[in-house]
Amino acid sequence: MVTHPDALPVPTAPLMEPTAADMERYSKRWWRHKNLRSLNAWMLIPLISIFAQGFDGSMMNGLQSVSHWRSYFGTPTGATLGIFNAAYPLGGIAGVFLIRIPADRWGRRVGIAVGASLCCLGAVLQGAAVNLPMFVISRVALGAGSVVVAGVGAPYITEIAHPAQRSTATALFLTFYALGSITAGWTTFGTFRINGEASWRIPSALQGLPSIIQLLLVWFVPESPRWLVSKGRADEALAMLARYHGEGDPNDAVVRFEYHEITTMLASEKEMARSSLWEFATTPGNRRRLAIMIWAAICSQMSGNAFVSYYLAPVLTSVGLTTDLQQTLINATSQMVSWFSALYFATLPEKLGRRTLFLGSLVSMWIVIIAITAGSAEFDKDNDNKAAGYAVVVFLYLFSPAYNLGFNGNLGLYIPEILPYHLRTLGLSVFYFVQFCFMILSNFAVPVGLENIQWRLYPIFVAWVMVEFAGVWFLFPETKGPSLEEIAWIFDGTPEDKLARDALDVEKASVAVTEKVAAGG
């Protein structure tokens, strides 16, 4: 086993693309490989980066059903309730500016640690809040920290996972959102019976638990080989790849090919990398990447998911389910349905394709929202129509699986993989900035809409999801199959295309000089 880069022999095997057998050796029965088992275990640390966001949405759903929380903060509704929930994405907007610097300058592990520290601070303030301003400030800190760990965690997994497992490993990232939701849902279900402030302070403080785990253990996770190469530490990158992707053999076909791709691609990117927002406007491929990130961020927040993520309690109240027990139980069990569906759907991108899952998810959500609208309208006509009310609950349960089909693991995989290394953390910062902006819009608009026009708000989303479908249809290419480095060719063309373009540019420049000399003569 390679334990130190100085002990690593120089690779001598000829460079050849790995065969299907080479990849299957690690994708099937991966648990038989000691170092790959270790890598997959350590990947749990960046995988829980999104846990905090899932915990927050479910916790706020649960707290709105807890009598002691409502009475302590004056039973917030409408715009006041919107402020409670919008504070979190407001912090997220501030946090996007903290993603790139620590992660690109000092490494992915330091980036995770910075975000986890902010989450711990926010959880302490939230659990100890004595008034509305303190609770809001705590949620700003939590939002900032959670977006940093999420923005670093996603590319971290993409960059350290074995190539045979990269799609599934990265797709699993957003499934931990649902795991956080389950934890918060059952926590609030268990604590709402406590007669006192502990009924809401306990779940508020527990939001910091995954961040404490990350702070303690992230230093044992291997650093990204792509980051190491970018910092001139190629020997350490090869040592990491050999140990965890080749079971200690630097001449393993997968290791050799992966190392060659990483070093070649990063050398090419380094020649042209300006790594600024302006670069997203300089080429057709980058402009398309930017459009996809913006549209994906909008779809992830404006498809009606705010009802289930943050405002389940008002929706349940509107169909006659008003008790603390009913609402906290539905919140907790619906999150379990969400998590189990997310885990299964995380295995589908490599089988069905990313674009297929996005489109299928939008169609499914469209059908579910229509059903929720119809059931709510019928219950509004006749409050004794329990069948209509229960039908709404059933489709509320089905909304999360419909959303998870395309916008959970599939989204967590798609955004990091369409971005080249030197734009990966910057691009994710852009994605989260747009996502949290629309989360704020949703968090302000939905409670006001529910308070003023009730179920009549839902048809807006029926129409909007159709617009989202059209955007995905025309913008999103399929990325199933190619390696992480080869996906760039879908947007920028193959290396041969680049050489042809460079030759054409040289030819044009030569012609221009010749014409200028002739004109001067």
Coordinates of all heavy atoms in Angstrom, one line a residue, residues 363-408:
V363 N -42.7 16.5 -15.2 CA -44.1 16.0 -15.5 C -44.8 15.4 -14.3 O -46.0 15.7 -14.1 CB -43.9 14.9 -16.6 CG1 -45.3 14.2 -16.8 CG2 -43.5 15.5 -17.9
S364 N -44.0 14.7 -13.5 CA -44.6 14.1 -12.3 C -45.1 15.2 -11.3 O -46.2 15.1 -10.7 CB -43.6 13.2 -11.6 OG -43.2 12.2 -12.4
M365 N -44.3 16.3 -11.1 CA -44.7 17.3 -10.2 C -45.9 18.1 -10.7 O -46.8 18.5 -10.0 CB -43.5 18.3 -10.0 CG -42.5 17.8 -9.1 SD -41.2 19.1 -8.6 CE -40.3 19.2 -10.1
W366 N -46.0 18.3 -12.0 CA -47.1 18.9 -12.7 C -48.4 18.2 -12.4 O -49.4 18.8 -12.0 CB -46.8 19.0 -14.2 CG -47.9 19.7 -15.0 CD1 -48.1 21.1 -15.0 CD2 -48.8 19.2 -15.9 NE1 -49.1 21.4 -15.8 CE2 -49.6 20.2 -16.4 CE3 -49.0 17.9 -16.4 CZ2 -50.6 20.0 -17.4 CZ3 -50.0 17.7 -17.3 CH2 -50.8 18.7 -17.8
I367 N -48.4 16.9 -12.5 CA -49.6 16.0 -12.2 C -49.9 16.1 -10.8 O -51.1 16.3 -10.4 CB -49.3 14.6 -12.6 CG1 -49.1 14.5 -14.2 CG2 -50.4 13.7 -12.2 CD1 -48.7 13.1 -14.6
V368 N -49.0 16.1 -9.9 CA -49.2 16.1 -8.4 C -49.8 17.4 -8.0 O -50.8 17.5 -7.2 CB -47.9 15.8 -7.7 CG1 -48.1 16.1 -6.2 CG2 -47.5 14.3 -7.8
I369 N -49.3 18.5 -8.5 CA -49.8 19.9 -8.2 C -51.2 20.0 -8.7 O -52.1 20.6 -8.0 CB -48.9 21.0 -8.7 CG1 -47.5 20.9 -8.1 CG2 -49.5 22.4 -8.5 CD1 -46.5 21.8 -8.7
I370 N -51.5 19.5 -9.9 CA -52.9 19.6 -10.3 C -53.8 18.9 -9.4 O -54.9 19.3 -9.0 CB -53.0 19.0 -11.8 CG1 -52.3 19.9 -12.8 CG2 -54.5 18.7 -12.2 CD1 -52.3 19.3 -14.2
A371 N -53.4 17.7 -8.9 CA -54.2 16.9 -8.0 C -54.4 17.6 -6.7 O -55.5 17.6 -6.1 CB -53.6 15.5 -7.8
I372 N -53.3 18.2 -6.1 CA -53.4 19.0 -4.9 C -54.4 20.2 -5.0 O -55.2 20.5 -4.2 CB -52.0 19.5 -4.4 CG1 -51.2 18.3 -4.0 CG2 -52.1 20.5 -3.3 CD1 -49.7 18.7 -3.7
T373 N -54.3 20.8 -6.2 CA -55.2 22.0 -6.5 C -56.7 21.5 -6.5 O -57.5 22.2 -5.9 CB -54.8 22.6 -7.8 OG1 -53.5 23.0 -7.8 CG2 -55.7 23.8 -8.1
A374 N -56.9 20.4 -7.2 CA -58.3 20.0 -7.3 C -58.9 19.5 -6.0 O -60.0 19.9 -5.6 CB -58.4 18.8 -8.3
G375 N -58.1 18.8 -5.2 CA -58.5 18.4 -3.9 C -58.8 19.5 -2.9 O -59.8 19.5 -2.2
S376 N -57.9 20.5 -2.9 CA -58.0 21.7 -2.1 C -59.3 22.5 -2.5 O -60.0 23.0 -1.6 CB -56.8 22.6 -2.2 OG -55.6 21.9 -1.7
A377 N -59.5 22.6 -3.8 CA -60.7 23.3 -4.2 C -62.0 22.7 -3.8 O -62.9 23.3 -3.3 CB -60.7 23.5 -5.7
E378 N -62.0 21.3 -3.9 CA -63.2 20.6 -3.4 C -63.4 20.7 -1.9 O -64.6 20.9 -1.5 CB -63.1 19.1 -3.8 CG -63.2 18.8 -5.3 CD -64.6 19.3 -5.8 OE1 -65.6 19.0 -5.2 OE2 -64.6 20.0 -6.9
F379 N -62.4 20.7 -1.2 CA -62.5 20.8 0.3 C -62.9 22.2 0.7 O -63.7 22.4 1.6 CB -61.2 20.5 1.0 CG -61.3 20.5 2.5 CD1 -61.7 19.3 3.2 CD2 -60.9 21.6 3.2 CE1 -61.8 19.3 4.5 CE2 -61.0 21.6 4.6 CZ -61.5 20.4 5.3
D380 N -62.5 23.2 -0.1 CA -62.9 24.6 0.2 C -64.4 24.8 -0.1 O -65.0 25.6 0.6 CB -62.1 25.5 -0.7 CG -62.3 27.0 -0.4 OD1 -62.1 27.4 0.8 OD2 -62.8 27.8 -1.3
K381 N -64.9 24.0 -1.0 CA -66.4 24.1 -1.3 C -67.2 23.5 -0.1 O -68.3 24.0 0.2 CB -66.7 23.4 -2.6 CG -66.2 24.1 -3.8 CD -66.6 23.3 -5.1 CE -66.0 23.9 -6.3 NZ -66.3 23.0 -7.5
D382 N -66.6 22.4 0.4 CA -67.4 21.6 1.4 C -66.4 21.1 2.4 O -65.6 20.2 2.2 CB -68.1 20.5 0.8 CG -68.9 19.6 1.8 OD1 -68.9 20.0 3.0 OD2 -69.3 18.5 1.4
N383 N -66.3 21.8 3.6 CA -65.3 21.4 4.6 C -65.6 20.0 5.3 O -64.8 19.5 6.0 CB -65.3 22.5 5.7 CG -64.7 23.8 5.2 OD1 -64.8 24.8 5.8 ND2 -63.9 23.7 4.1
D384 N -66.8 19.5 5.0 CA -67.1 18.1 5.5 C -66.6 17.0 4.5 O -66.7 15.8 4.8 CB -68.6 18.0 5.7 CG -69.1 18.9 6.8 OD1 -68.3 19.0 7.8 OD2 -70.2 19.4 6.8
N385 N -66.1 17.4 3.4 CA -65.6 16.5 2.4 C -64.2 16.0 2.8 O -63.2 16.4 2.3 CB -65.6 17.2 1.0 CG -65.3 16.2 -0.1 OD1 -64.9 15.1 0.1 ND2 -65.5 16.6 -1.4
K386 N -64.2 15.0 3.7 CA -62.9 14.5 4.2 C -62.1 13.8 3.1 O -60.9 13.8 3.2 CB -63.2 13.5 5.4 CG -63.9 14.2 6.6 CD -63.1 15.3 7.2 CE -63.8 15.9 8.4 NZ -63.0 17.1 8.9
A387 N -62.8 13.2 2.2 CA -62.1 12.5 1.1 C -61.2 13.4 0.3 O -60.1 13.1 0.0 CB -63.1 11.8 0.2
A388 N -61.7 14.6 0.1 CA -60.9 15.6 -0.7 C -59.7 16.0 0.1 O -58.6 16.1 -0.4 CB -61.7 16.8 -1.0
G389 N -59.9 16.2 1.5 CA -58.8 16.6 2.3 C -57.7 15.5 2.4 O -56.5 15.8 2.3
Y390 N -58.1 14.3 2.5 CA -57.2 13.2 2.6 C -56.5 13.0 1.3 O -55.3 12.5 1.2 CB -57.9 11.9 3.1 CG -58.3 11.9 4.5 CD1 -59.6 11.4 4.9 CD2 -57.5 12.5 5.5 CE1 -60.0 11.5 6.2 CE2 -57.9 12.6 6.8 CZ -59.2 12.1 7.2 OH -59.6 12.1 8.5
A391 N -57.2 13.2 0.2 CA -56.6 13.1 -1.2 C -55.4 14.1 -1.3 O -54.3 13.8 -1.8 CB -57.6 13.4 -2.3
V392 N -55.6 15.3 -0.7 CA -54.5 16.3 -0.7 C -53.3 15.8 0.0 O -52.2 16.0 -0.4 CB -55.0 17.7 -0.1 CG1 -53.9 18.6 0.1 CG2 -56.1 18.3 -1.0
V393 N -53.6 15.2 1.2 CA -52.5 14.7 2.0 C -51.7 13.6 1.2 O -50.5 13.6 1.2 CB -53.0 14.1 3.3 CG1 -51.9 13.4 4.1 CG2 -53.6 15.2 4.2
V394 N -52.4 12.7 0.5 CA -51.8 11.6 -0.2 C -50.9 12.2 -1.3 O -49.7 11.8 -1.5 CB -52.8 10.7 -0.9 CG1 -52.2 9.8 -1.9 CG2 -53.6 9.9 0.1
F395 N -51.3 13.3 -2.0 CA -50.5 13.9 -3.1 C -49.4 14.7 -2.5 O -48.3 14.9 -3.1 CB -51.4 14.6 -4.0 CG -52.1 13.7 -5.0 CD1 -53.4 13.4 -4.8 CD2 -51.4 13.2 -6.1 CE1 -54.0 12.5 -5.7 CE2 -52.0 12.4 -7.0 CZ -53.3 12.0 -6.8
L396 N -49.6 15.2 -1.3 CA -48.4 15.9 -0.6 C -47.3 14.9 -0.3 O -46.1 15.2 -0.4 CB -48.9 16.6 0.7 CG -49.7 17.9 0.6 CD1 -50.3 18.3 1.9 CD2 -48.9 19.0 0.0
Y397 N -47.7 13.7 0.1 CA -46.7 12.6 0.2 C -46.0 12.3 -1.1 O -44.8 12.0 -1.1 CB -47.4 11.3 0.8 CG -47.5 11.3 2.3 CD1 -48.7 11.7 2.9 CD2 -46.5 10.7 3.0 CE1 -48.8 11.6 4.3 CE2 -46.6 10.6 4.4 CZ -47.8 11.1 5.0 OH -47.9 11.0 6.4
L398 N -46.8 12.4 -2.2 CA -46.2 12.0 -3.5 C -45.4 13.1 -4.1 O -44.6 12.8 -5.0 CB -47.3 11.6 -4.4 CG -48.1 10.3 -4.1 CD1 -49.2 10.1 -5.1 CD2 -47.1 9.1 -4.1
F399 N -45.5 14.3 -3.6 CA -44.8 15.4 -4.2 C -43.3 15.2 -4.1 O -42.5 15.4 -5.0 CB -45.2 16.8 -3.6 CG -44.5 17.9 -4.3 CD1 -45.1 18.5 -5.4 CD2 -43.3 18.4 -3.9 CE1 -44.4 19.6 -6.1 CE2 -42.6 19.4 -4.5 CZ -43.2 20.0 -5.6
S400 N -42.8 14.8 -2.9 CA -41.4 14.7 -2.7 C -40.7 13.7 -3.6 O -39.7 13.9 -4.2 CB -41.1 14.4 -1.2 OG -41.3 15.5 -0.4
P401 N -41.3 12.5 -3.7 CA -40.7 11.5 -4.7 C -40.7 12.1 -6.1 O -39.7 11.9 -6.9 CB -41.7 10.3 -4.6 CG -42.2 10.4 -3.2 CD -42.4 11.8 -2.9
A402 N -41.8 12.8 -6.5 CA -41.8 13.4 -7.8 C -40.7 14.4 -8.0 O -40.0 14.5 -9.0 CB -43.2 14.1 -8.1
Y403 N -40.4 15.2 -7.0 CA -39.4 16.2 -7.0 C -38.0 15.5 -7.0 O -37.1 15.9 -7.7 CB -39.5 17.1 -5.8 CG -38.4 18.2 -5.6 CD1 -38.6 19.5 -6.2 CD2 -37.3 18.0 -4.9 CE1 -37.6 20.4 -6.1 CE2 -36.3 18.9 -4.8 CZ -36.5 20.2 -5.4 OH -35.5 21.1 -5.3
N404 N -37.9 14.5 -6.1 CA -36.6 13.8 -6.0 C -36.1 13.1 -7.2 O -34.9 12.9 -7.4 CB -36.7 12.8 -4.8 CG -36.8 13.5 -3.5 OD1 -36.5 14.7 -3.3 ND2 -37.2 12.7 -2.5
L405 N -37.1 12.7 -8.1 CA -36.7 12.0 -9.3 C -35.7 12.8 -10.1 O -34.7 12.2 -10.6 CB -38.0 11.8 -10.1 CG -37.8 11.0 -11.4 CD1 -37.3 9.6 -11.2 CD2 -39.1 11.0 -12.2
G406 N -35.8 14.1 -10.2 CA -34.9 14.8 -11.0 C -34.1 15.9 -10.3 O -33.0 16.3 -10.7
F407 N -34.6 16.4 -9.2 CA -34.0 17.6 -8.5 C -33.5 17.3 -7.1 O -33.3 18.2 -6.3 CB -35.1 18.7 -8.4 CG -35.4 19.2 -9.8 CD1 -36.4 18.7 -10.6 CD2 -34.6 20.2 -10.3 CE1 -36.7 19.2 -11.8 CE2 -34.8 20.8 -11.6 CZ -35.9 20.2 -12.4
N408 N -33.1 16.0 -6.9 CA -32.4 15.7 -5.7 C -31.0 15.2 -6.1 O -30.2 16.0 -6.4 CB -33.2 14.6 -4.9 CG -32.6 14.4 -3.5 OD1 -31.6 13.8 -3.3 ND2 -33.3 15.0 -2.5

